[in-house]
């Protein structure tokens, strides 16, 4: 696959450190635990591990409130532990991607403590401070992602500061060149330590409307939606000046050999494409979350893929995400049977796939008992919590699922004794086996890894498409429904082909053509 970058043909595995593996007996995962489990990630066939924040932090938002951008929280270990993890990853052929949080710091970061100390402190303008309106109310109507006003009154200095998330997460002022320089120095610190790139947390929030104008009401808001959705985020994020910031970040990582820049960007597809940058000078991979947000129906997903492929800038590389630490697990959204269809879709679409830890064994969302909730959003807005998708990895059927020797920080799924890596490793029909085979097939097929994509017209609840490259053609047919479906003609070369993989893992080498019959909730991959 000459001429392609590792991240184009590769697969990214997302680790939430608190929940991957505990080695020091405190019920919370750590860096040494990640290092011990890297063989699992390499054994799946993944190419890179993306690690959610492990910086020093008061943990108001579990590490996304950073108090030091160039350190490691003792909860997770030390810089030496991090270096050993990177070295071990290298030995296993894995890249390491660091989570970087540019929009906001912790209110305990030394920068903010200085900024808050007085109005004339040199770091005052490192954050977004504004006077109250004449009636004493906040400067505008912006709402925090976690509900309530996005402004916090500071009694000591008599101004409000902006926090797009928690009050303990004040927004940095990215219009200040000193802020940008300091953050870029922090990125260089990790690049110099050998990390292979960054996933940029809510990077589209870094640049707001410089006039801080009100956001307009959202006519599509309905009861049950989060409070922030009562307004359209027209002015509070995604200002056109973001193009400057994302270009500067790209220039920085391009100073190093073959590094990757990923942007967490929850925007409509038309706006998402802007983050590739002029002449592809922006993020290599602006994260595409549309498979998470689109209704799980064949026609809807087919239309999404067509639209996304059609909007990509020339030379822009696609990517697909099915789950992460902020979204309900795929098995919880579409059901256990369709989670197999989702896995086949993820690894056969054109572009770089990202796999969230635990999805390879079909981990469900876990109901969190009263009093056990940990998520900051859940504490601030009733009915919204991300705890269910952050529960500990289920490794085996020993006590605490092999994750820890003590009660974990979040409860395990009730099915952990049956649904775990060890049990599925022994089961030729398991979800884990399906993932391994899908990834192996992708890695061994230029068509699946880096080939072109084209849709196939179908009827019923079926989505079908082809991947092709230099004579290598693969046909993928997915039944999104719970009843049997038949596709009459798949336009197979020579009118026939061979099933190389079914989501049921029981039709290897079966000859089909010119069409194929699918059982309920079945997907197949056909080679000519």
């Amino acid at each position: 696959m000459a001429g392609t970058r590792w991240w184009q043909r590769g697969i990214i595995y997302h680790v939430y450190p608190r929940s991957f593996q505990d080695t020091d007996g405190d019920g919370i995962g750590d860096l040494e635990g990640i290092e011990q489990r890297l063989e699992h990630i390499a054994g799946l066939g993944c190419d890179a591990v993306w690690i959610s924040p492990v910086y020093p932090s008061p943990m108001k938002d579990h590490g996304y409130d950073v108090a030091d951008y160039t350190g490691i929280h003792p909860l997770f270990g030390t810089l030496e532990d991090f270096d050993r993890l990177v070295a071990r990853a290298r030995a296993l052929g894995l890249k390491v991607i660091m989570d970087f949080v540019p929009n906001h710091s912790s209110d305990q970061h030394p920068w903010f403590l200085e900024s808050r100390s007085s109005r004339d402190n040199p770091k005052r303008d490192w954050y977004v401070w504004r006077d109250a309106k004449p009636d004493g109310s906040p400067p505008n109507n912006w709402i925090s992602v976690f509900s309530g006003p996005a402004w916090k009154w500071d009694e000591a200095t008599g101004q409000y500061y902006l926090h797009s998330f928690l009050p303990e997460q004040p927004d940095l002022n990215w219009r200040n060149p000193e802020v940008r320089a300091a953050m870029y120095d922090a990125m260089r610190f990790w690049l110099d330590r050998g990390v292979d790139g960054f996933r940029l947390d809510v990077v589209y929030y870094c640049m707001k409307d410089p006039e801080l104008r009100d956001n307009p009401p959202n006519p599509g808001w309905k009861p049950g939606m989060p409070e922030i959705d009562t307004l359209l985020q027209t002015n509070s994020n995604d200002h056109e000046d973001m193009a400057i910031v994302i270009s500067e970040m790209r220039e920085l990582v391009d100073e190093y050999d073959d590094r990757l820049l990923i942007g967490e960007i929850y925007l409509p597809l038309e706006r998402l494409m802007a983050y590739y940058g002029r002449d592809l000078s922006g993020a290599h991979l602006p994260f595409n979350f549309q498979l998470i947000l689109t209704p799980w129906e064949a026609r809807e997903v087919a239309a999404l893929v067509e639209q996304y492929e059609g909007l990509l800038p020339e030379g822009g590389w696609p990517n697909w995400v099915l789950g992460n630490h902020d979204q309900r697990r795929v098995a919880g959204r579409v059901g256990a049977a369709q989670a197999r269809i989702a896995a086949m879709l993820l690894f056969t679409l054109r572009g770089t796939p990202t796999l969230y830890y635990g999805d390879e064994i079909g981990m469900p969302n876990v109901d969190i008992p009263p009093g056990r909730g940990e998520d900051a959003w859940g504490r601030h807005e009733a009915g919204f919590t991300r705890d269910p998708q952050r529960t500990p990895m289920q490794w085996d059927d020993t006590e605490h699922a092999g994750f820890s020797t003590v009660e974990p920080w979040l409860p395990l799924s009730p099915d952990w004794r049956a649904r775990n890596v060890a049990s599925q490793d022994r089961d030729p029909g398991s979800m884990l086996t399906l993932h391994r085979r899908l990834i192996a097939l992708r890695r061994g097929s230029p068509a699946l890894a880096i080939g072109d994509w084209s849709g196939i017209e179908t009827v019923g609840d079926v989505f079908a498409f082809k991947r092709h490259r230099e004579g290598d053609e693969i046909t993928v047919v997915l039944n999104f429904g719970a009843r049997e479906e038949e596709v009459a003609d798949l336009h197979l070369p020579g009118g026939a082909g061979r099933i190389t993989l079914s989501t049921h893992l029981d039709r290897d080498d079966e000859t089909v053509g010119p069409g194929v019959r699918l059982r309920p909730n079945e997907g197949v991959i056909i080679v000519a």
Side-chain angles (χ1 to χ4, degrees), residues 182-486:
M183 294 298 274
Y184 297 158
D185 283 346
M187 294 172 74
R188 288 189 181 92
F189 174 88
W190 296 106
L191 291 166
D192 289 341
R193 287 194 103 84
V195 304
D196 297 282
F198 298 100
R199 176 264 192 187
L200 303 169
D201 181 65
V202 293
V203 66
Y204 64 113
Y205 266 85
C206 288
M207 282 292 191
K208 294 88 168 164
D209 173 29
E211 298 179 32
L212 302 181
R213 289 171 289 192
D214 281 356
N215 279 328
N218 178 9
W221 184 85
K222 298 177 182 178
M225 294 172 66
E227 182 186 1
I228 190 172
D229 289 339
T230 60
L231 302 176
L232 298 174
Q233 308 305 302
T234 305
N235 295 312
S236 52
N237 63 45
D238 188 35
H239 189 269
E240 61 184 11
D241 290 342
M242 267 307 306
I244 301 169
V245 171
I246 206 74
S247 178
E248 289 178 351
M249 290 179 170
R250 174 62 179 274
E251 287 180 14
L252 187 156
V253 299
D254 282 352
E255 295 172 9
Y256 297 78
D257 183 47
D258 211 16
R259 309 299 169 95
L260 174 64
L261 197 63
I262 303 171
E264 184 199 20
I265 304 160
Y266 282 94
L267 289 174
L269 286 176
E270 294 82 356
R271 285 299 306 149
L272 178 70
M273 297 303 162
Y275 286 77
Y276 281 99
R278 186 185 301 274
D279 299 323
L280 302 182
S281 61
H284 297 98
L285 300 177
F287 257 159
N288 168 23
F289 299 110
Q290 297 302 315
L291 282 180
I292 297 175
L293 306 174
T294 297
W296 195 252
E297 301 169 7
R299 299 279 75 75
E300 295 276 2
V301 173
L304 160 65
V305 178
E306 288 275 8
Q307 181 191 19
Y308 179 70
E309 286 279 354
L311 287 171
L312 282 166
E314 185 176 356
W317 190 252
N319 68 91
W320 297 95
V321 181
L322 271 176
N324 62 35
H325 62 292
D326 288 329
Q327 303 293 335
R328 295 183 67 80
R329 285 195 176 272
V330 62
R333 296 196 311 271
V334 306
Q338 279 295 307
R340 288 179 171 249
I341 297 294
M344 184 169 281
L345 179 67
L346 179 68
F347 294 113
T348 56
L349 284 172
R350 188 175 81 98
T352 304
T354 296
L355 175 65
Y356 185 46
Y357 86 96
D359 282 352
E360 71 269 34
I361 59 171
M363 278 177 58
N365 299 308
V366 179
D367 292 331
I368 308 299
R372 289 293 307 273
E374 294 277 353
D375 183 29
W377 191 6
R379 293 195 302 270
H380 283 75
E381 187 168 13
F384 297 95
T385 177
R386 298 165 295 178
D387 286 333
Q389 59 264 29
R390 297 178 173 184
T391 57
M393 183 66 171
Q394 298 165 191
W395 293 107
D396 56 42
D397 62 0
T398 62
E399 190 174 16
H400 309 305
F403 164 75
S404 179
T405 57
V406 300
E407 183 73 16
W409 74 289
L410 282 176
L412 296 162
S413 169
D415 67 354
W416 64 269
R417 289 194 182 276
R419 187 184 302 280
N420 59 67
V421 171
S423 66
Q424 293 199 15
D425 185 53
R426 299 186 295 266
D427 180 0
S430 71
M431 185 70 150
L432 180 59
T433 299
L434 175 62
H435 274 76
R436 286 175 175 158
R437 291 196 56 188
L438 280 166
I439 292 171
L441 185 60
R442 179 186 179 90
R443 292 178 69 89
S445 165
L448 284 178
I450 57 173
D452 295 330
W453 178 93
S454 59
I456 300 173
E457 187 173 347
T458 62
V459 296
D461 207 5
V462 174
F463 177 34
F465 54 91
K466 289 184 182 291
R467 301 292 311 282
H468 33 83
R469 180 179 173 84
E470 298 175 352
D472 180 20
E473 180 174 297
I474 302 286
T475 303
V476 182
V477 194
L478 304 169
N479 184 358
F480 278 63
R483 67 181 186 182
E484 191 175 272
E485 294 276 5
E486 184 168 7

Side-chain angles (χ1 to χ4, degrees), residues 39-54:
E39 288 189 11
H40 168 74
I41 300 171
L44 277 170
C46 296
D47 299 86
V49 53
W50 150 33
I51 303 171
S52 286
V54 289

